[in-house]
Amino acid sequence: MTGTAEGIYRGRVSKGLSERAKKFVSSINVDGGILEDDLDGTEAHELMLYEQGILSREELSKILTALEKIREEHKKGKIKLDPKFEDVHEFVESKVISEVGVEIGGKIHTGRSRNDQVALDIRMRLRRELNELSSSLLRLIETILKLAERNIETPMPLFTHIQHAQIGTFGHYLLAQVDILMRDFDRLDECYCRVNLSPLGGCAIGGSSFELDRKRTADILGFDGVVENSLDAVSSRDVVLEAAAIISILMADLSRMAEDLILWSTPEFGYIELSDEYSSTSSAMPQKKNPCTLELIRGKTGGVYGSLFSLLTTMKGLASGYNRDLQETKPPIWRCVDEAKGCVDVLEGVIGTMLVRRERMLGVSSESYALAWDLAEGLVKETGLSFRESHAVVGEVVKDALSSGLTVREITGELIEAAAEKVLGKKIKVDQRVVNTYLDPISSLKQRKTLGSPSPEEVSRMLKRRRGELKEREGKLNKRVKKVEKARGELEKKVKGYISGRGR
Ligand code: ARG
């Protein structure tokens, strides 16, 4: 190592960093998750330097050997990331230099800065995280679709203001969740296109006088292209903000679903029961089975929003170019992806194993005054009343029925005729069969005609389409993942070739 004040970069100063400053500025504690990316990125850079005639064959081989040694030790869990290093980049370079000497090892940073290096590592890890999250998301969608398929004709009340609104089906509810999650997937997919671009070669901020081939390193690492402008490449973190914002929206969606299921698992609803595997028990109350898994999805959403805000606040008003503040963007974005992956996976488990109490849903729906909507529409069709008139008549019927303790199934044609007479002063004729059709949840659902309604026919049609849409997305994601894997495989082969002396 060159003789500097402890550390390979400290030629400019004559003293080492104080112990407390060292600990304070170091990001090494959070850099473990990008060590492998840093090694891949460094190997790609060295290969390119060799191809451009900047490194000799022998230098390349020595450098790659040293880098692979770090990888091996890391795999065996033998690497200790010591906060005496400012970050993983200094750690890797120092290790290589101490392994092969500064004359050769000191060349690995040619035409590179930690600024483009860290921007690269973040994008490499982020694309991997987005792929994992997207793949979990598709698994969740698949599980929900399967459950929806079994509940096309399971009536349940739909709620507005958490009051019975109209009768729908559990299958229809689940398909709504599928559509919401598909949009989350699509947002992540669009963001991925912006993430999967290489900033490497942006150097510190203004490029290099070496003939670096930026497109080549991007290609070796499986990127779709480069972040062209060198200032933009090293100092922008908008894609990190974008990913965190999209993940926050996803969490909002997951937490709403969690809340529905929490409510529906209470004895008051009793629509579902969580499996034992996804329920907690009480240390004190022996009868309890608590939906802690779902509650934590709701709870962790707060942490993810907090991370988004910490990211936005770090970036606000930051002068352009690299500033060390940017280091603080790493922990919150990893928190966002980690929490979201955990929540999506657990929700998949909850939904895939929970018990759906169809009888209970049917029972509640059959007793529900939510059928009043259908009756009001039925009366318009059967009697020629305007909707406002029919609404008034049915309102009166419901009021009467409730005060005389009648269930919705006990409403008769005569009661409706009497109500029409009372509120409209009109004589109408209401066939009891019509009343029965609209006051039965299943037959009433079959009357629904509109696109996207919970009529079993519509739900079946949508379900079939969604299956196709899921396949399409699986294909798209698979292609993305394969591209990165292929690049990684080829890089590994190349590196091995150069190390063993077989490479060109
Ligand atoms: N540890 C730094 C980070 O995470 C790496 C870049 C340091 N660059 C610099 N110019 N000090 O952002």
Side-chain angles (χ1 to χ4, degrees), residues 134-148 174-175 177-186 344 348 466-467 469-470 473-474:
S134 301
S135 141
S136 297
L137 207 48
L138 292 186
R139 253 197 316 278
L140 172 61
I141 292 174
E142 160 104 65
T143 298
I144 300 178
L145 270 180
K146 277 193 191 139
L147 192 60
L174 291 169
L175 273 194
Q177 306 311 313
V178 164
D179 286 1
I180 292 167
L181 295 174
M182 291 260 204
R183 285 197 294 277
D184 286 313
F185 177 91
D186 290 349
V344 170
E348 195 273 334
R466 300 306 179 263
R467 282 230 160 275
E469 287 167 12
L470 176 62
R473 283 164 177 83
E474 281 167 351

Side-chain angles (χ1 to χ4, degrees), residues 27 31 86-87 89 114-115 118 322 324 326-327 330:
S27 65
D31 282 351
E86 281 198 27
D87 45 41
H89 323 296
R114 285 186 294 165
N115 299 350
V118 72
Y322 181 88
R324 197 62 177 260
L326 290 177
Q327 182 165 292
K330 290 183 289 185

